[in-house]
Amino acid sequence: MSEATSRPLPRHVAVIMDGNGRWAAARGLERTAGHEAGERALMDVIEGALDIGIRYLSVYAFSTENWGRPRREVEFLLGFNRALLRARRDYLNSLGVRIRRIGRRSGPPEYAELLADVLAEFDGAFEMTRSNRRLELLVCFNYGGRAELEDAAARGPIPDNLYAPDVPDVDLLIRTSGEMRLSNFLLWQAAYAELYFTDTLWPDFDRHALAAAVADYQGRERRFGALG
Ligand code: FPP
């Protein structure tokens, strides 16, 4: 084994799955087709994470800012999250994946009914998978880093009151599609994360791309502000 590959694995990998809309536009398809292609990429990345031995995988499924998209796309994304959970939870359960949602439970009143349905689906998936220990899939849904910090600070000391206080900090944060922003994702948990940006659009990302990001991470020296 080379020196680079002998460095520790990231325990917690977080992913901003960006570029679904552009992937679809490049093919003359509806944006929704891009999200559907993104589901296949996500399943492949989950299987890759299990192969590699990653313990926590956070994915940005729907942000507190996504409510501002056109109604048609918001409704699609909510229904899409629900359908994905329904279609994949048994399989993910069989792989030993614990499906856990983090984010706010409340949203804009005009979406209350649909949102309640999606949250019920998340609650069911969590109940089904709660004793699984191989991989924890943290689905950040109706999630915003600032909202999380506001909610935590209102309850007490921030680290103890994060949405998932038991989950370790993010080691490696991946964003696809060439954008180099955090976009309000896991602001507290990613304070010392290694950042990895790739031009690959999310539907084209897969387990091999994940392995490349992890290898890149293993080649870096982490100093956490000290001298190493
Ligand atoms: C960003 O592409 C992607 C999203 C807004 C949604 C991604 C969600 C999933 C793949 C499903 C996750 C669900 C569960 C239950 C795990 P974009 O629309 O911002 O693309 P663009 O920047 O090219 O327009």
Side-chain angles (χ1 to χ4, degrees), residues 17-23 31 35 38-39 42 59-62 66 69 73 77 80-82 84-85 122 137 139 177 179 201-202:
M17 309 179 284
D18 198 7
N20 293 347
R22 277 162 285 164
W23 183 93
R31 294 177 53 79
H35 298 311
E39 176 178 347
L42 176 60
V59 295
Y60 213 173
F62 189 86
N66 287 154
R69 292 194 178 191
E73 182 158 351
L77 284 171
F80 176 57
N81 272 265
R82 184 181 55 189
L84 194 157
L85 291 168
F122 270 110
L137 177 68
V139 184
S177 88
E179 306 294 344
L201 302 175
W202 176 251

Side-chain angles (χ1 to χ4, degrees), residues 42-63:
L42 176 60
M43 293 304 292
D44 203 60
V45 164
I46 292 170
E47 291 178 1
L50 285 161
D51 284 348
I52 293 169
I54 290 162
R55 284 282 291 109
Y56 299 89
L57 181 68
S58 294
V59 295
Y60 213 173
F62 189 86
S63 75

Side-chain angles (χ1 to χ4, degrees), residues 179-199:
E179 306 294 344
M180 295 194 230
R181 289 188 291 277
L182 275 183
S183 298
N184 201 17
F185 194 39
L186 300 173
L187 296 178
W188 183 278
Q189 299 86 339
Y192 282 99
E194 295 294 330
L195 307 180
Y196 182 89
F197 299 106
T198 171
D199 288 339

Side-chain angles (χ1 to χ4, degrees), residues 69 103 123 135 159 193 212:
R69 292 194 178 191
D123 293 345
L135 173 69

